[in-house]
């Protein structure tokens, strides 16, 4: 589904919402710079929410989307080619695929703070192909959400190709998850177990490359490393020979969770491959990202938890600035983000800037109005 930024569409069919001139889009009026739409409307929203008794997520979305012009479109040609970015000589800063978290609203936020490339959360390709409901719930984008990589969990080359062809008009490429260590994924034949199936990985890359007509559409893989690094290098070489666009390497093996990242292993992989290599694992500041790139020689840096804690890290901030917190409020409410997701992101962002007692109070809040009240009382700009 394409949404937000005044435009909404679904990959499964037409979708209309709101009202407006059928020829001239009406952009949403923004409040005073630095305070934003949510804060300007907050007193009215609070009264309306309390007066109507409606479920707040539905009502917030109704209020924030009213008056917007929305119509079905096919996403215009992507503005930037990620593969060209990797050959620019500059550090490419990437938001990792994160289940439940790297959705459109969060991607919109990190793009405001110098993130160059974003991934969707991992989507199971088989469900995506077979279910309209899965497509509409798992994939949402808009014209500003670019460049974008859609990550799939897959173990069947044809199903993956079918999924890739569905998202091709709305994204820059797909990524095959070969690194998720969760038990359910491995049991289903997805994720990190694929590093032990190089022929299957090769077949999936080859099938997508041959069936997607757009020659600029990228096909990448994200992996973990083996204890025997020669096996990882062999896997990467086979993928490279098949035409993989780039490879992201999380520098831990399947069993490791919080152990130190093996950046030396990422460096060896980089030295043995010609395609761009992306380093991933335990990077929490822009300075750390620059250091890892220097150590490994990689073409880009992918960050997950570091961005959850500080979405502005790629802009050089060491902790989440207040403006970023309010930017999230504006963006999340504008996109109709469910309360739990909205609240959890704020918990992560405020982890380093709140006291233990403040965390206890804030984390116990159970409604959007309560969160907005708290932020207005304690962190108003």
């Amino acid at each position: 589904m394409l949404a937000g930024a005044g435009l909404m569409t679904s990959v499964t069919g037409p979708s209309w919402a709101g009202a407006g001139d059928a020829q001239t889009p009406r952009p949403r009026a923004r409040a005073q710079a630095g305070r934003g739409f949510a804060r300007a409307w907050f007193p009215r929203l609070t009264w309306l929410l309390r007066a109507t008794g409606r479920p707040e997520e539905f009502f917030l979305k109704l209020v924030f989307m009213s008056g917007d012009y929305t119509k079905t479109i096919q996403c215009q040609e992507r503005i930037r080619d990620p593969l060209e970015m990797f050959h620019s000589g500059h550090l490419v800063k990437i938001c990792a695929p994160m289940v439940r978290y790297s959705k459109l609203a969060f991607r919109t936020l990190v793009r405001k703070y110098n993130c160059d490339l974003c991934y969707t959360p991992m989507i199971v390709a088989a469900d995506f192909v077979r279910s309209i409901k899965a497509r509409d719930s798992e994939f949402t984008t808009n014209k500003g959400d670019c460049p974008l990589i859609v990550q799939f969990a897959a173990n069947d080359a044809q199903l993956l190709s079918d999924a890739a062809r569905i998202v091709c008009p709305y994204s820059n490429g797909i990524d095959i998850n070969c690194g998720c260590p969760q038990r359910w994924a491995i049991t289903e034949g997805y994720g990190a177990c694929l590093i032990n199936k190089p022929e299957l990985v090769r077949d999936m890359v080859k099938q997508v490359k041959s069936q997607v007509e757009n020659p600029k559409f990228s096909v990448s893989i994200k992996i973990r490393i083996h204890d025997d690094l020669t096996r990882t290098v062999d896997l990467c070489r086979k993928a490279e020979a098949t035409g993989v666009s780039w490879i992201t390497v999380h520098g831990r093996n399947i069993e490791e969770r919080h152990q130190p990242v093996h950046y030396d292993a990422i460096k060896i992989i980089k030295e043995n491959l010609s395609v761009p290599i992306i380093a991933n694992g335990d990077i929490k500041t822009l300075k750390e990202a620059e250091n890892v790139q220097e150590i490994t020689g990689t073409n880009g840096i992918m960050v997950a938890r570091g961005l959850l804690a500080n979405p502005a890290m790629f802009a050089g901030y060491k902790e989440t600035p207040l403006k970023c917190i309010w930017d999230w409020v504006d963006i999340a409410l504008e996109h109709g983000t469910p309360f739990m997701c909205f609240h959890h992101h704020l918990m992560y962002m405020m982890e380093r800037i709140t006291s233990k007692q403040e965390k206890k109070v804030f984390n116990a809040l159970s409604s959007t109005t309560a969160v907005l009240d708290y932020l207005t009382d304690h962190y108003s700009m």
Side-chain angles (χ1 to χ4, degrees):
M1 178 179 288
L2 284 169
L7 294 162
M8 180 182 294
T9 190
S10 167
V11 297
T12 57
S15 173
W16 288 84
D21 185 342
Q23 299 299 321
T24 307
R26 296 188 304 179
R28 178 178 292 103
R30 298 294 293 176
Q32 175 183 342
R35 292 189 175 273
F37 186 79
R39 278 153 284 160
W41 278 84
F42 174 65
R44 265 173 280 183
L45 287 173
T46 302
W47 181 85
L48 286 166
L49 287 167
R50 290 170 179 163
T52 60
R54 292 190 182 191
E56 64 180 22
E57 277 116 355
F58 170 78
F59 191 65
L60 276 172
K61 188 169 184 179
L62 178 67
V63 172
F64 277 88
M65 296 303 291
S66 65
D68 275 352
Y69 165 79
T70 58
K71 66 177 289 187
T72 299
I73 63 165
Q74 180 161 338
C75 191
Q76 296 179 359
E77 185 176 354
R78 299 280 111 178
I79 298 171
R80 304 180 70 182
D81 183 343
L83 199 53
E84 292 179 4
M85 294 167 58
F86 293 127
H87 294 297
S88 68
H90 301 293
L91 173 66
V92 181
K93 302 176 287 293
I94 306 167
C95 175
M98 292 177 278
V99 174
R100 295 185 300 277
Y101 292 117
S102 61
K103 294 191 174 184
L104 175 59
F106 187 70
R107 299 196 301 267
T108 302
L109 178 67
V110 296
R111 290 186 195 278
K112 287 174 66 73
Y113 291 91
N114 295 357
C115 184
D116 299 311
L117 176 63
C118 291
Y119 280 53
T120 69
M122 180 182 72
I123 301 170
V124 177
D127 295 341
F128 190 78
V129 169
R130 294 166 180 161
S131 168
I132 292 175
K133 182 178 179 180
R135 291 197 288 277
D136 284 345
S137 64
E138 297 295 328
F139 181 62
T140 305
T141 188
N142 63 22
K143 289 175 66 177
D145 189 25
C146 174
L148 176 66
I149 304 300
V150 181
Q151 190 187 66
F152 285 112
N155 56 17
D156 180 280
Q158 187 56 56
L159 281 173
L160 178 62
S161 296
D162 292 343
R165 284 185 291 175
I166 292 171
V167 300
C168 180
Y170 313 101
S171 63
N172 293 80
I174 65 142
D175 182 81
I176 307 170
N177 187 317
C178 305
C180 179
Q182 294 185 42
R183 185 173 298 176
W184 76 266
I186 293 175
T187 299
E188 294 291 332
Y190 305 138
C193 71
L194 292 177
I195 66 173
N196 297 317
K197 300 177 181 180
E199 289 76 18
L200 176 56
V201 173
R202 179 193 61 198
D203 291 346
M204 288 194 290
V205 172
K206 183 178 180 180
Q207 188 95 326
V208 176
K209 297 286 284 188
S210 66
Q211 293 196 11
V212 173
E213 295 181 359
N214 182 359
K216 293 184 178 181
F217 193 74
S218 66
V219 183
S220 57
I221 61 174
K222 184 174 185 289
I223 67 171
R224 285 191 170 228
I225 61 174
H226 299 84
D227 290 328
D228 179 2
L229 199 59
T230 59
R231 296 180 63 195
T232 312
V233 172
D234 179 66
L235 166 70
C236 294
R237 282 176 171 165
K238 287 179 178 176
E240 180 180 57
T242 311
V244 76
S245 303
W246 66 82
I247 300 171
T248 301
V249 183
H250 182 90
R252 293 187 176 99
N253 65 35
I254 296 177
E255 303 300 327
E256 292 175 322
R257 296 294 184 273
H258 303 291
Q259 291 86 342
V261 178
H262 304 288
Y263 295 121
D264 55 337
I266 299 176
K267 179 181 180 181
I268 291 171
I269 293 169
K270 172 60 181 172
E271 291 171 344
N272 281 274
L273 276 292
S274 298
V275 296
I277 302 295
I278 314 306
N280 172 233
D282 274 5
I283 298 166
K284 298 181 177 65
T285 67
L286 179 59
K287 182 64 175 175
E288 287 182 9
E290 293 168 343
N291 290 341
V292 169
Q293 185 191 36
E294 185 175 350
I295 292 169
T296 61
T298 49
N299 304 85
I301 300 295
M302 177 180 284
V303 178
R305 286 178 293 182
L307 279 176
L308 282 180
N310 179 11
M313 66 163 281
F314 284 146
Y317 293 92
K318 293 183 179 179
E319 59 187 29
T320 309
L322 191 58
K323 182 181 184 304
C324 183
I325 291 173
W326 280 111
D327 281 342
W328 169 246
V329 172
D330 292 342
I331 292 167
L333 296 184
E334 183 178 347
H335 285 81
T337 303
F339 172 73
M340 185 173 292
C341 180
F342 168 66
H343 191 206
H344 281 187
H345 272 293
L346 286 169
M347 289 182 195
Y348 280 114
M349 292 180 204
M350 298 171 65
E351 175 70 24
R352 300 177 190 171
I353 62 175
T354 52
S355 67
K356 186 176 181 179
Q357 181 58 34
E358 287 174 327
K359 288 183 182 66
K360 184 176 181 181
V361 173
F362 184 79
N363 294 357
L365 299 177
S366 58
S367 71
T368 301
T369 50
V371 168
L372 294 177
D373 276 333
Y374 185 93
L375 292 176
T376 300
D377 291 342
H378 294 82
Y379 296 101
S380 182
M381 291 180 63

